[in-house]
């Protein structure tokens, strides 16, 4: 980028030299005495891209405007030429806030004409405003020794923190007076004031004119203005307006800080002749280590944040285009890493900007804090069985378990339920009802186990391993004149023939002991191999 320091040097202190303007005419050349000194090394980017003839026109008009001259004799030119010249002067010189338009008077000889500015303020008002501008700029003196990047970031943050967008569109909002007097402006006034401050701090900055793109219609819509700055010989876009917070909001990260052409052109069209911005690496997210290039990196990014107990994840994705599928993957990764870190299911509140792939994700424990409840992570069904058994042995019948490396299916769910029943039966000798609340995407199960129906252990249930043990138990019960019994068959599978054998053994033993016919009744629970047997004379 080429910049030029011209003959009008803005001093730090903005001393108003004269309140009236004296015009000296000598032969064919006008000389203007400036009404004030200028503030710093203003960088005349647009002037440097003009032809030699246009530069002469530019500098003569600029000298007259700085001197508040009412009529400026200039080389002959058209209204269109001088419209461009005035536009370039105002873009290069935000200090010229007091000129809105002009008229042109020609002499018919096509050698000279008169440029007649339309001033919006009188000399006294301009003088008072210059004093305000001086005090405003001096307030940034404390950062004059910072490096350029730190100066830029300080000023950018200051603007975003202290200023607002002016939806009332006050006349001051289109110049530097908006922010200086009213702390509010539109994009035009914001971009001009940003250039004013950065020029004062010797950070190279230019004003950029453009338009906003309607992403849906891909149309040019409202006009817009922002800036391009230079750091270490590289150029970047900054759009302070688009980072200003809305009422009641606080901006904590800057999505429009040091962007490239490809990034800015996602939503804006450049209509100025400006340098190319092609270098990455100075944007807010890169500078703060908040960028990932692929989803696989995002796992680690989230985990590192959570390990530092940072549950708000702000990240920018490079090389990734938005889609609903990508969005779902990003949120699922964040929730999964929360689960890995805290052993708890997460709810995610998400603020995202699909045009530049910035996501602001806040993760919180959803419902119960499973880590506090003593969640157990298991890798297979054997580990799960042991965990259920250990809990039941200490009479803990509410179990929270997470299955890692196992996918949910109805079959898996039933297997989990059945193991819980089996272990309850082993510990309490009672049939269990098992209620399950589960989150299949996270494989977390809340398991509540309770006695179903009768407490067989209290009824004196007998556990047998085979039919011989069962036959012996029936004989003992009958010898004590007890004709009712509860028997559980361990390691045996229910079948109708087996059930018939159980019936026959009981009836035969009764007839052997009481020498009479017998009737057999009872209930059985085939899945638990528990039989309630009632014998009575027939």
């Amino acid at each position: 980028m080429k910049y030029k320091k011209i003959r009008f040097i803005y001093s730090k202190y903005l001393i108003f030299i004269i309140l009236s303007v004296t015009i000296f005419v000598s032969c064919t050349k006008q000389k203007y005495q400036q009404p004030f000194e200028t503030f710093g090394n203003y960088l005349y980017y647009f002037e440097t891209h003009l032809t030699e003839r246009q530069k002469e026109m530019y500098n003569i008009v600029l000298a007259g405007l700085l001197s508040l001259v009412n009529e400026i004799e200039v080389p002959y030119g058209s209204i269109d030429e001088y419209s461009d010249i005035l536009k370039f002067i105002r873009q290069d010189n935000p200090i010229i806030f007091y000129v809105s338009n002009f008229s042109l008077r020609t002499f018919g000889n096509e050698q000279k004409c008169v440029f007649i500015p339309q001033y919006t303020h009188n000399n006294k008002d301009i003088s008072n405003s210059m004093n305000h501008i001086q005090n405003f700029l001096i307030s940034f003196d404390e950062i004059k020794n910072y490096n350029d990047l730190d100066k830029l970031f300080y000023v950018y943050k200051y603007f975003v923190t202290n200023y607002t967008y002016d939806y009332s569109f006050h006349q001051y909002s289109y110049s530097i007076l908006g922010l200086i007097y009213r702390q509010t402006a539109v994009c035009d006034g914001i971009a001009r004031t940003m250039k004013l401050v950065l020029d004062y701090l010797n950070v190279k900055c230019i004003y950029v004119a453009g338009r906003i793109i309607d992403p849906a219609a891909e149309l040019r819509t409202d006009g817009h203005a922002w800036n391009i700055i230079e750091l270490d010989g590289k150029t970047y876009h900054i759009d302070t307006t688009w980072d200003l917070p809305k009422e009641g909001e606080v901006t904590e990260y800057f999505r429009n800080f040091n962007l490239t052409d490809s990034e800015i052109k996602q939503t804006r069209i450049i209509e100025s002749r400006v340098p190319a911005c092609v270098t990455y690496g100075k944007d807010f997210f890169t500078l703060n280590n908040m960028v990932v290039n692929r989803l696989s990196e995002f796992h680690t990014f989230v985990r590192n944040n959570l390990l530092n107990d940072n549950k708000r994840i702000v990240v920018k994705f490079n090389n990734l285009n938005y889609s609903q599928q990508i969005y779902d993957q990003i949120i699922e990764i964040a929730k999964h890493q929360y689960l890995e870190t805290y052993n708890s299911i997460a709810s995610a509140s998400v603020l995202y900007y699909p045009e530049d792939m910035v996501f602001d994700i806040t993760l919180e424990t959803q419902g119960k804090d499973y880590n506090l409840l003593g969640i157990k992570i298991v890798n297979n069904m054997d580990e799960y069985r042991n965990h259920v058994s250990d809990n039941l042995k200490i009479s803990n019948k509410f179990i929270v378990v997470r299955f890692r490396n196992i996918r949910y299916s109805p079959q898996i769910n039933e297997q989990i339920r059945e193991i819980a029943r089996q272990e309850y039966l082993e510990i309490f000798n009672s049939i269990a009802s098992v209620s399950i609340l589960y989150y299949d995407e996270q494989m977390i199960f809340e398991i509540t186990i309770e006695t179903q129906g009768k407490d067989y252990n209290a009824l004196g249930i007998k556990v047998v391993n085979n039919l011989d043990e069962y036959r012996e138990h029936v004989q003992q019960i009958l010898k004590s004149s007890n004709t009712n019994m509860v028997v559980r068959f361990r390691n045996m599978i229910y079948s109708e023939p087996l059930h018939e054998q159980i019936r026959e053994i009981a009836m035969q033993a009764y007839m052997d002991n009481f020498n009479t016919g017998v009737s057999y009744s009872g209930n059985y629970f085939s899945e638990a191999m528990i039989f309630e047997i009632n014998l009575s004379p027939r």
Side-chain angles (χ1 to χ4, degrees):
M1 182 191 298
K2 295 181 179 179
Y3 291 90
K4 182 178 180 182
K5 180 169 65 177
I6 70 167
R7 62 189 67 91
F8 306 107
I9 307 300
Y10 285 74
S11 77
K12 172 181 177 182
Y13 301 105
L14 183 59
I15 302 173
F16 196 91
I17 298 176
I18 59 173
L19 298 177
S20 61
V21 179
T22 304
I23 303 176
F24 297 91
V25 181
S26 175
C27 300
T28 60
K29 187 175 182 180
Q30 291 182 342
K31 297 180 181 179
Y32 305 115
Q33 186 170 2
Q34 298 174 57
F36 51 84
E37 293 185 9
T38 54
F39 297 115
N41 295 329
Y42 271 70
L43 305 169
Y44 282 46
Y45 175 83
F46 291 102
E47 188 260 357
T48 62
H49 290 80
L50 300 177
T51 65
E52 290 305 314
R53 174 176 170 275
Q54 290 170 334
K55 288 179 181 178
E56 180 186 7
M57 297 162 71
Y58 177 108
N59 285 309
I60 291 174
V61 172
L62 175 59
L65 297 179
L66 289 172
S67 302
L68 306 182
V69 175
N70 290 322
E71 294 189 353
I72 308 168
E73 186 176 304
V74 293
Y76 181 83
S78 69
I79 287 286
D80 288 344
E81 283 182 295
Y82 276 105
S83 291
D84 287 340
I85 293 298
L86 180 59
K87 178 181 71 174
F88 295 145
I89 287 173
R90 294 187 68 243
Q91 288 175 343
D92 281 339
N93 300 267
I95 197 68
I96 299 178
F97 60 85
Y98 44 81
V99 178
S100 62
N101 209 335
F102 72 99
S103 60
L104 211 60
R105 187 169 71 241
T106 59
F107 300 110
N109 60 8
E110 297 189 355
Q111 295 295 320
K112 296 286 184 181
C113 57
V114 177
F115 183 100
I116 305 170
Q118 293 181 13
Y119 293 110
T120 57
H121 299 71
N122 60 37
N123 288 357
K124 182 178 180 180
D125 289 340
I126 293 172
S127 175
N128 289 335
S129 294
M130 289 299 175
N131 287 329
H132 282 285
I133 295 167
Q134 171 191 340
N135 293 332
F136 171 71
L137 290 175
I138 289 173
S139 70
F140 292 96
D141 279 357
E142 63 182 284
I143 65 167
K144 274 203 162 184
N145 293 326
Y146 287 15
N147 63 47
D148 284 355
L149 177 59
D150 288 344
K151 287 178 187 175
L152 173 64
F153 186 77
Y154 180 97
V155 174
Y156 197 92
K157 184 176 181 180
Y158 182 89
F159 274 45
V160 170
T161 304
N162 293 282
Y163 299 139
T164 60
Y165 188 85
D166 182 17
Y167 291 97
S168 72
F169 307 108
H170 189 277
Q171 61 179 350
Y172 278 6
S173 293
Y174 295 86
S175 74
I176 60 176
L177 299 186
L179 296 187
I180 291 173
Y181 277 120
R182 304 177 66 244
Q183 291 76 54
T184 185
V186 298
C187 59
D188 199 23
I190 293 166
R192 294 180 192 278
T193 312
M194 177 62 74
K195 175 170 171 55
L196 176 78
V197 175
L198 293 181
D199 283 346
Y200 177 71
L201 295 171
N202 292 316
V203 177
K204 295 178 180 179
C205 176
I206 63 176
Y207 171 101
V208 182
R211 290 192 174 275
I212 301 169
I213 299 174
D214 179 348
E218 296 185 353
L219 297 174
R220 300 183 183 194
T221 57
D222 294 339
H224 189 46
W226 62 95
N227 301 96
I228 287 177
I229 55 88
E230 180 181 309
L231 297 171
D232 300 324
K234 307 295 182 182
T235 50
Y236 307 89
H237 295 270
I238 59 170
D239 190 342
T240 319
T241 302
W242 277 24
D243 273 328
L244 292 183
K246 295 180 181 179
E247 186 175 355
E249 294 181 350
V250 176
T251 300
E252 299 176 71
Y253 46 84
F254 308 132
R255 295 169 44 230
N256 300 280
F257 181 81
N258 288 354
L259 303 183
T260 63
D261 285 341
S262 62
E263 291 171 318
I264 206 80
K265 289 177 181 178
Q266 295 290 321
T267 48
R268 283 148 284 196
I269 294 172
I270 302 168
E271 294 186 335
S272 301
R273 181 172 60 184
V274 296
C277 302
V278 296
T279 305
Y280 291 89
K282 296 293 186 181
D283 62 281
F284 175 84
F285 299 95
T286 301
L287 292 171
N288 288 278
N289 298 314
M290 299 162 70
V291 173
V292 299
N293 295 299
R294 55 187 64 87
L295 287 178
S296 57
E297 293 178 5
F298 185 52
H299 288 270
T300 303
F301 182 84
V302 177
R303 181 167 62 250
N304 289 342
N305 272 270
L306 294 176
L307 288 174
N308 290 321
D309 207 30
N310 179 19
K311 299 177 183 178
R312 183 180 177 193
I313 313 298
V314 179
V315 60
K316 180 176 181 179
F317 291 89
N318 279 343
N319 310 316
L320 202 61
N321 294 322
Y322 178 83
S323 69
Q324 186 61 48
Q325 182 180 7
I326 291 294
Y327 174 93
D328 292 342
Q329 283 183 272
I330 290 168
I331 305 309
E332 182 57 33
I333 289 170
K335 288 182 176 180
H336 176 75
Q337 290 302 327
Y338 190 94
L339 182 62
E340 288 293 325
T341 305
Y342 296 107
N343 280 329
S344 295
I345 295 174
S347 64
S349 57
V350 186
L351 181 64
Y352 67 101
Y353 306 91
E355 66 275 13
D356 49 17
M357 287 302 288
V358 170
F359 280 69
D360 184 346
I361 305 168
T362 300
L363 299 169
E364 295 179 302
T365 296
Q366 178 182 352
K368 301 181 179 72
D369 188 335
Y370 292 108
N371 201 45
L372 296 177
L373 291 172
I375 189 171
K376 175 70 174 178
I377 299 174
V378 298
N379 296 291
N380 52 56
M381 290 298 174
D382 288 337
E383 291 183 7
Y384 165 63
R385 186 186 303 276
N386 292 335
H387 178 62
V388 173
S389 178
D390 290 343
N391 274 269
L392 293 177
K393 286 175 181 176
I394 59 173
S395 296
N396 180 19
K397 299 176 184 179
F398 177 74
I399 300 167
V400 183
V401 63
R402 175 181 162 218
F403 289 84
R404 182 185 281 155
N405 306 321
I406 297 178
R407 286 186 172 274
Y408 178 83
S409 71
Q411 293 79 11
I412 288 292
N413 185 64
E414 190 53 40
Q415 194 175 354
I416 290 168
R417 185 188 303 275
E418 187 56 34
I419 288 174
R421 284 174 175 165
Q422 290 172 1
E423 293 305 312
Y424 190 89
L425 186 60
E426 288 295 325
I427 303 298
F428 296 104
N429 280 324
S430 293
I431 297 174
S433 66
V434 179
S435 60
I436 295 178
L437 178 62
Y438 64 92
Y439 304 89
D440 56 356
E441 70 279 6
Q442 308 291 356
M443 285 302 286
I444 288 182
F445 290 74
E446 295 178 18
I447 302 165
T448 303
I449 311 171
E450 297 177 303
T451 297
Q452 178 181 356
K454 298 172 183 173
D455 186 340
Y456 292 108
N457 198 47
L459 291 174
I461 189 171
K462 175 66 176 179
V463 179
V464 299
N465 295 292
N466 52 56
L467 291 178
D468 289 338
E469 290 184 7
Y470 166 62
R471 182 179 287 107
E472 183 180 341
H473 174 64
V474 173
Q475 291 288 353
Q476 290 176 354
I477 291 293
L478 294 174
K479 286 177 181 178
S480 63
S481 299
N482 184 3
T483 58
N484 300 317
M485 64 197 78
V486 181
V487 181
R488 175 184 162 217
F489 291 84
R490 181 188 281 148
N491 304 322
M492 299 180 74
I493 298 174
Y494 180 82
S495 68
E496 285 296 337
L498 178 60
H499 188 184
E500 189 58 36
Q501 281 184 278
I502 291 168
R503 184 200 308 269
E504 287 297 328
I505 289 172
M507 294 173 68
Q508 185 63 51
Y510 187 93
M511 289 187 291
D512 289 344
N513 279 275
F514 298 105
N515 292 316
T516 182
V518 62
S519 64
Y520 173 97
S521 64
N523 298 315
Y524 67 94
F525 302 91
S526 58
E527 71 277 8
M529 285 301 288
I530 289 180
F531 290 75
E532 296 178 12
I533 300 170
N534 299 308
L535 300 170
S536 59
R538 186 173 59 191

